[in-house]
Amino acid sequence: MALSLFSAFALVLIIEGIMPLIAPTVWRETFTKMISFTDGQLRTVGLFSILGGLLILIMVR
């Protein structure tokens, strides 16, 4: 169980690092725009991220 959790965390870090590595300007602009989002907009982004992750997990399993 712990190994799976650490593996999942490692994959998150790898995926999160791809965008700043490949396109730092686009990543910075996107991050700057997200700072100006309201709390509701950020929650919506978070909800869609969770749903997308769950969908991918279901498809893989």
Side-chain angles (χ1 to χ4, degrees), residues 3-50:
L3 181 60
S4 295
L5 185 61
F6 285 123
S7 296
F9 184 64
L11 285 173
V12 167
L13 291 176
I14 290 168
I15 292 169
E16 288 284 331
I18 290 173
M19 192 65 173
L21 177 68
I22 295 173
T25 304
V26 174
W27 181 82
R28 185 178 291 114
E29 290 171 2
T30 303
F31 192 71
T32 302
K33 288 177 186 175
M34 287 187 72
I35 290 173
S36 66
F37 282 7
T38 64
D39 287 349
Q41 290 172 317
L42 285 174
R43 286 187 177 109
T44 302
V45 169
L47 175 65
F48 281 115
S49 292
I50 291 168

